[in-house]
């Protein structure tokens, strides 16, 4: 089975801190994604990557950056955390295969609180 | 605007009853369609997917979904619900011709009464 591991289940940080959320997948997937999940809003795509050192903005990239130095690892960075970034963050990966139409496999999420 | 709509925010059913969760999309071409389930405190797990062919697709845990092009719908069904099915359900769409990102509905929360 595909395993997508997010480094922390719960994280508490302070306003203005630089925050790193790490995600690792073990199935050699080309594509990796970061979402945030908020009640009533579903999942919103922050950034995705379809190859090492490649990144694409999703719907809500403001206040975030990403890093993909190795194929298995995709990091989400909050440059200067703010309270409106308190949320559940979900990482996902997928096999490229015939394009990006492969299902995504998700980690268990990181619940981030910014105080 | 392109969108994925799950019109039911919350549904309550009795154990053993049948279930249908609705999903509508508004993309021009036939997209790729998915249903995911999220148990409390967990990530999303794929239930089933539709790419082409037979419009009735079978998934895990006894779920099925039917693609209806004329209604732009992809409703999820289960004939007999179990208490362990209580969870959040998300419909997701990958637009076919321009698909480079997934779009998720806002989710339907399912409560199962014993």
């Amino acid at each position: 089975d595909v395993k997508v591991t997010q480094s922390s289940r719960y994280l508490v940080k302070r306003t203005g801190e630089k925050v790193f959320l790490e995600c690792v997948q073990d199935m050699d997937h080309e594509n990796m994604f970061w979402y945030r999940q908020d009640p009533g809003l579903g999942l919103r795509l922050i950034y995705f990557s379809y190859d090492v050192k490649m990144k694409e903005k999703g719907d809500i990239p403001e206040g975030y950056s990403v890093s993909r130095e190795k194929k298995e690892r995709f990091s989400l960075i909050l440059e200067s955390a703010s309270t409106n970034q308190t949320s559940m963050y979900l990482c996902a990966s997928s096999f490229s295969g015939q394009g990006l139409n492969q299902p995504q496999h998700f980690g268990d999420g990181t619940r981030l609180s910014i105080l | 605007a392109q969108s994925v709509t799950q019109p039911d925010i919350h549904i309550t059913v009795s154990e053993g009853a049948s279930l249908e969760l609705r999903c509508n999309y508004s993309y021009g071409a036939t997209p790729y369609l998915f249903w995911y389930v999220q148990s409390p405190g967990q990530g999303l797990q794929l239930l089933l997917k539709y790419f082409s062919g037979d419009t009735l697709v079978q998934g895990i845990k006894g779920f099925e979904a039917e693609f209806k092009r004329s209604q732009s719908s992809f409703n999820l069904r289960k004939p007999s619900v179990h208490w362990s099915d209580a969870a959040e359900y998300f419909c997701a769409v990958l637009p076919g011709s321009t698909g480079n990102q997934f779009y998720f509905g806002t989710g339907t929360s399912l409560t199962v009464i014993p």
Side-chain angles (χ1 to χ4, degrees), chain B residues 4-65:
Chain B
V4 182
T5 303
Q6 292 180 247
D8 303 306
I9 296 173
H10 185 249
I11 285 182
T12 299
V13 299
S14 298
E15 192 168 16
S18 63
L19 172 71
E20 182 170 30
L21 303 182
R22 296 182 290 166
C23 174
N24 294 93
Y25 63 90
S26 62
Y27 298 93
T30 299
Y32 303 112
L33 300 161
F34 307 82
W35 274 99
Y36 286 85
V37 60
Q38 184 181 34
S39 298
Q42 303 295 316
L44 276 69
Q45 180 184 21
L46 179 70
L47 283 175
L48 46 78
K49 59 188 178 185
Y50 173 78
F51 289 164
S52 64
D54 192 346
T55 56
L56 184 65
V57 294
Q58 302 297 320
I60 62 171
K61 305 185 180 188
F63 285 92
E64 65 179 26

Side-chain angles (χ1 to χ4, degrees), chain B residues 29-112:
Chain B
T30 299
Y32 303 112
L33 300 161
F34 307 82
W35 274 99
Y36 286 85
V37 60
Q38 184 181 34
S39 298
Q42 303 295 316
L44 276 69
Q45 180 184 21
L46 179 70
L47 283 175
L48 46 78
K49 59 188 178 185
Y50 173 78
F51 289 164
S52 64
D54 192 346
T55 56
L56 184 65
V57 294
Q58 302 297 320
I60 62 171
K61 305 185 180 188
F63 285 92
E64 65 179 26
E66 185 172 13
F67 169 61
K68 292 186 177 180
R69 185 191 306 272
S70 61
Q71 299 176 19
S72 296
S73 69
F74 188 57
N75 294 349
L76 181 71
R77 301 195 294 248
K78 187 169 185 178
S80 178
V81 170
H82 188 262
W83 63 266
S84 60
D85 293 325
E88 187 96 16
Y89 291 82
F90 291 92
C91 179
V93 169
L94 183 63
S97 60
T98 61
N100 62 359
Q101 72 177 65
F102 281 66
Y103 295 88
F104 285 83
T106 52
T108 297
S109 177
L110 175 65
T111 296
V112 180

Side-chain angles (χ1 to χ4, degrees), chain A residues 56-104:
Chain A
E56 294 283 344
K57 292 180 179 179
D59 297 319
I60 53 165
E62 296 77 18
Y64 304 93
S65 63
V66 291
S67 172
R68 187 138 182 232
E69 296 296 318
K70 294 184 178 181
K71 191 174 185 180
E72 67 271 18
R73 185 180 297 270
F74 193 36
S75 303
L76 180 70
I77 303 156
L78 285 65
E79 298 291 344
S80 177
S82 63
T83 55
N84 63 11
Q85 292 178 308
T86 291
S87 186
M88 168 73 93
Y89 289 86
L90 292 168
C91 175
S93 72
S94 69
F95 177 59
S96 188
Q98 298 171 4
L100 283 165
N101 61 347
Q102 299 297 315
Q104 297 186 353

Side-chain angles (χ1 to χ4, degrees), chain A residues 24-38:
Chain A
V24 177
Q25 49 93 5
D26 66 358
M27 281 301 292
D28 204 34
H29 283 171
E30 291 85 358
N31 308 317
M32 297 189 75
F33 307 81
W34 275 108
Y35 295 89
R36 62 177 285 176
Q37 182 181 14
D38 300 288

